[in-house]
Amino acid sequence: MIKVHFTGADGATQTVDARDGDRLLDVAQAAGQPLEGTCEGQMACSTCHVIVEPRDFARLKPAREEEEDMLDLALGATRHSRLACQIWLDESLDGLSVRIPSETRNMQGR
């Protein structure tokens, strides 16, 4: 199992178990984290924007240009921002820590 640590906008933390090959967006949603993922991982929105802890950011595969373009639309994006739909977990990411931004863009109007 791969441990993933989520920190909410309110500072509350949650640690969940994931499997090799799981997508971070799916893990977050299954854990009740408020990541919308409107485009269902097609990189057509930024509603699954997360901020990766700096110590973990270098462990991720680099973002593709399409992801960088979508991150330009994310509210509160930082140099450690990524789209959770583009992070596929494996053993090298055990202990990954991400923060849910306090600002989000709700594309479904809920």
Side-chain angles (χ1 to χ4, degrees):
M1 283 296 185
I2 299 163
K3 297 278 186 208
V4 179
H5 310 286
F6 293 101
T7 302
D10 62 358
T13 60
Q14 178 184 25
T15 299
V16 299
D17 289 325
R19 293 182 307 260
D20 188 17
D22 282 351
R23 186 172 60 165
L24 184 61
L25 174 60
D26 300 326
V27 172
Q29 289 177 332
Q33 293 295 321
L35 291 182
E36 192 173 316
T38 301
C39 72
E40 298 178 358
Q42 301 302 309
M43 261 195 308
C45 72
S46 60
T47 61
C48 66
H49 166 228
V50 294
I51 301 170
V52 179
E53 287 300 315
R55 69 179 179 274
D56 293 331
F57 192 78
R59 295 195 289 154
L60 299 175
K61 292 178 181 168
R64 296 186 352 232
E65 185 175 343
E66 297 88 354
E67 181 180 356
E68 293 286 348
D69 290 346
M70 282 296 106
L71 285 168
D72 288 342
L73 303 174
L75 296 173
T78 74
R79 59 187 272 204
H80 297 114
S81 290
R82 292 295 301 268
L83 297 179
C85 70
Q86 297 303 302
I87 299 174
W88 294 91
L89 301 170
D90 62 34
E91 294 296 329
S92 73
L93 295 176
D94 187 34
L96 180 71
S97 294
V98 298
R99 184 166 43 93
I100 308 302
S102 56
E103 298 179 276
T104 59
R105 191 178 304 273
N106 185 333
M107 305 295 276
Q108 294 182 351
R110 282 188 257 164

